[in-house]
Amino acid sequence: MIKKITIDQLVPGMFVHQILEQKGALRVTSQGRVTSDDVVKTLRKRGVKTLAIDTDKAFNVEQPSSSATVEKHQNSSSNQPVKSKKISLENELVRAAKLHEQGKAIQKLLLANVQKETPFDASIPKAFSNKLVESVDRNPDALLCLTKIREKDDYLLEHSLNVAILLANFGKYLGMSEEEVQDLSYAGFLHDLGKIKIPDEILHKPGRLTDSEMEIMKGHVKHGVDYLKSTEIAQPLIQAISEHHERLDGLGYPAGTKGEDISQAGRMLAIADMYDALTADRVYKAGMSSQKAFSILMSDAPTRLDQSLVQQFIKCLGVYPVGSLVLLSNDKLAMVLEQRDSPLTPLVKVFYSVRSNHYLTPKDVDLSSDKTVSINKAVIASDYKIDVNAFFERSVSIG
């Protein structure tokens, strides 16, 4: 049953069906579960006065014990959050694949608007970002798997989409409220719009940029922020976007912001942005393995990146992230499909024999139960001259 209430009556466990009355410039339009008091505080802060709840979708919220200190990011068995999977990877991949293509199309339209300096309807990318978060709610591995399936010519379109997906997972992992996760993902989706203003010969230059070219490249942050300031995008989101190349030691750009002056969202965005850029295939170079990218992120902490957040980000993705390739002890290649309790024994899909140099009939192997084989190391597709995209479309994705 749909029931009208005031913001003062809203408590965790309720399901918001619709915002009825709200003050302020930032409009809250999404539905969703109220999972904590933080969600209520966020809605109140954004000027929500009255709203409609769906009493049929109410749920129970576990409250922390008052007799013991409960850390936000812990569970009793593994000292790290558990990613809930409400539906199977196979089923969610159908929706996730369509969502991924839709995201690229929306990103293309946004970039065209920025290039022409014409306004866009902010409700479209916002609603899309919320759908990304909903997919992560249903099964966090589906969209993560798709971040590894890239078209070399579509880097600019895919990068911001992938960063949005990474941030949705990261925010969920840290136990942030639904509203905070949605905003974080939205910031990731918009963070690199200013790059459309950078000349192609600099943006796609295969070698090292000269000092003058680097100054032009750095301008993409200001281009994007200036454009977003003319829209209805909330200031905290614009701030996070403006900070995605700032560094804790103050040597970042464009403002040289340092230390605690950089917001948490800005710090998280910087990490996800750097990770995706390092692992991405470009026309002129292959992306590196996740393990090598993790090593670079850690080497940049704590002087440039937030060390605690980097460590949490790596735990969030796992030692062998979903969608990455691994070489097994039997000289076969496999794609990581799902994480298991142990980060070293995920569910993988075996598909290629290195010894015989040919594709195999794909087979799922749960390394947590099959003790006859183990992971030797992480690898990248270019090392073996294989087309992992074609394999994924043929053997992993459906629909």
Side-chain angles (χ1 to χ4, degrees), residues 218-230:
K218 288 179 178 179
H220 80 272
V221 179
K222 186 176 187 304
H223 292 315
V225 168
D226 286 349
Y227 177 85
L228 291 174
K229 284 180 178 177
S230 67

Side-chain angles (χ1 to χ4, degrees), residues 177-198:
S177 72
E178 193 80 358
E179 191 79 22
E180 289 171 324
V181 175
Q182 289 172 351
D183 282 350
L184 193 62
S185 180
Y186 190 23
F189 194 61
L190 301 178
H191 85 280
D192 253 356
L193 290 180
K195 278 190 174 175
I196 196 65
K197 291 288 191 178
I198 305 301

Side-chain angles (χ1 to χ4, degrees), residues 199-219:
D200 284 349
E201 59 269 22
I202 295 178
L203 189 62
H204 303 299
K205 183 178 178 179
R208 186 180 180 87
L209 298 179
T210 65
D211 289 346
S212 60
E213 288 171 337
M214 190 61 198
E215 287 305 310
I216 294 173
M217 176 64 86
K218 288 179 178 179

Side-chain angles (χ1 to χ4, degrees), residues 14-16 28 30-40 42-43 46 59 72 84 86 126 129-138 167-168 171-172 174-186:
M14 293 181 175
F15 184 93
V16 176
V28 178
S30 58
Q31 297 181 337
R33 305 187 307 163
V34 180
T35 56
S36 67
D37 288 330
D38 288 340
V39 177
V40 179
T42 299
L43 292 176
R46 296 193 172 183
F59 62 101
K72 192 174 186 180
S84 61
K86 298 178 183 176
K126 173 59 176 171
S129 299
N130 292 351
K131 287 182 180 179
L132 289 184
V133 175
E134 290 168 4
S135 177
V136 172
D137 280 338
R138 291 189 295 266
L167 287 172
K172 287 281 183 185
L174 293 182
M176 298 171 71
S177 72
E178 193 80 358
E179 191 79 22
E180 289 171 324
V181 175
Q182 289 172 351
D183 282 350
L184 193 62
S185 180
Y186 190 23

Side-chain angles (χ1 to χ4, degrees), residues 152-153 155 195 203 276-278 280-287:
K152 294 178 181 178
D153 293 329
Y155 173 75
K195 278 190 174 175
L203 189 62
D276 188 73
L278 290 171
D281 286 334
R282 312 284 185 94
V283 174
Y284 51 84
K285 77 169 186 70

Side-chain angles (χ1 to χ4, degrees), residues 69-82 173:
T69 299
V70 180
E71 288 193 17
K72 192 174 186 180
H73 311 318
Q74 284 192 337
N75 66 57
S76 59
S77 62
S78 62
N79 286 338
Q80 67 181 34
V82 175
Y173 180 86

Side-chain angles (χ1 to χ4, degrees), residues 9-64:
Q9 295 172 300
L10 186 66
V11 296
M14 293 181 175
F15 184 93
V16 176
H17 175 74
Q18 184 181 0
I19 304 300
L20 301 177
E21 181 186 2
Q22 180 184 1
K23 294 183 179 180
L26 177 63
R27 312 309 297 172
V28 178
T29 59
S30 58
Q31 297 181 337
R33 305 187 307 163
V34 180
T35 56
S36 67
D37 288 330
D38 288 340
V39 177
V40 179
K41 290 177 183 176
T42 299
L43 292 176
R44 184 179 284 111
K45 188 187 302 181
R46 296 193 172 183
V48 172
K49 299 298 182 183
T50 61
L51 56 161
I53 61 168
D54 189 337
T55 58
D56 294 331
K57 294 182 179 179
F59 62 101
N60 293 324
V61 178
E62 290 188 14
Q63 298 295 335

